[in-house]
């Protein structure tokens, strides 16, 4: 699928959510879901503020979207500031969401993060996780967005 200007606008919003997460002390990740009728759900990373290692923006978003029916989820698009990790990709897969668009790639993030609290990152692209499943998820990304890189600058050096 082609990434449109509308997609880019939603990605910029996801980056703004990542900035909000960072500003409140969480890791700089944000995500949103747009349903076929135009409803928008938003989530930020909450790993630090909620003391929850699973509180990634995408898993928080999947939890919010859990009340939606399967047809709605299949027609929905998840936009995220950074390519989802393996845990989040699994949650997206099981949720039934039909399309995902991301800005910063897993490789791009890994170039900035050598470890987090002594633990190296899990290097597993979302497409590889999705390829192991039995249903298709349309994936568009990485989408070059300077703001998606900028929101991480200096954060992982601390």
């Amino acid at each position: 699928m082609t990434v449109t200007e509308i997609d880019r606008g939603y990605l910029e919003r996801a980056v703004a959510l990542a900035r909000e997460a960072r500003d409140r002390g969480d890791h700089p990740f944000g995500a949103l879901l747009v349903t076929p009728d135009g409803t928008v759900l938003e989530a930020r990373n909450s790993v630090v503020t909620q003391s929850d290692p699973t509180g990634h923006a995408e898993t928080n978003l999947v939890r919010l979207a859990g009340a939606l029916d399967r047809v709605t989820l299949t027609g929905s698009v998840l936009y995220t500031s950074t390519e989802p990790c393996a845990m989040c990709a699994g949650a997206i897969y099981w949720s039934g969401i039909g399309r995902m668009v991301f800005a910063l790639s897993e490789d791009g993030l890994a170039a900035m993060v050598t470890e987090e609290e002594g633990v190296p990152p899990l290097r597993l692209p979302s497409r590889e996780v999705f390829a192991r499943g039995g249903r298709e998820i349309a994936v568009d990304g990485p989408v070059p967005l300077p703001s998606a890189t900028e929101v991480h600058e200096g954060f992982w050096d601390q």
Side-chain angles (χ1 to χ4, degrees):
M1 200 169 192
T2 302
V3 174
T4 67
E5 285 307 308
I6 292 171
D7 291 329
R8 288 179 180 280
Y10 285 127
L11 283 175
E12 287 289 2
R13 178 62 188 149
V15 172
L17 294 168
R19 172 62 61 193
E20 290 174 14
R22 180 178 178 161
D23 289 348
R24 73 177 188 199
D26 282 302
H27 301 166
F29 300 96
L32 58 101
L33 185 79
V34 180
T35 67
D37 72 0
T39 299
V40 177
L41 303 176
E42 297 183 339
R44 294 156 200 80
N45 183 287
S46 61
V47 167
V48 175
T49 56
Q50 297 295 312
S51 301
D52 178 2
T54 68
H56 294 196
E58 299 88 354
T59 53
N60 289 339
L61 186 60
V62 167
R63 285 183 194 107
L64 286 173
L68 300 175
D69 63 83
R70 182 63 76 169
V71 171
T72 298
L73 287 166
T74 299
S76 295
V77 182
L78 186 150
Y79 295 92
T80 184
S81 61
T82 306
E83 182 174 3
C85 71
M87 175 185 69
C88 293
I92 293 163
Y93 175 83
W94 288 113
S95 74
I97 292 168
R99 179 177 178 230
M100 179 183 77
V101 184
F102 66 91
L104 181 64
S105 70
E106 181 264 342
D107 283 339
L109 180 63
M112 292 185 269
V113 183
T114 54
E115 63 179 43
E116 181 186 335
E117 297 177 5
V119 178
L122 180 59
R123 306 252 347 236
L124 183 60
S126 58
R127 283 181 174 92
E128 289 185 35
V129 175
F130 297 151
R132 300 293 181 151
R135 75 174 187 89
E136 185 98 10
I137 299 172
V139 179
D140 290 301
V143 176
L145 223 58
S147 60
T149 300
E150 291 164 5
V151 74
H152 289 278
E153 288 176 351
F155 181 84
W156 302 102
D157 304 335
Q158 303 171 21

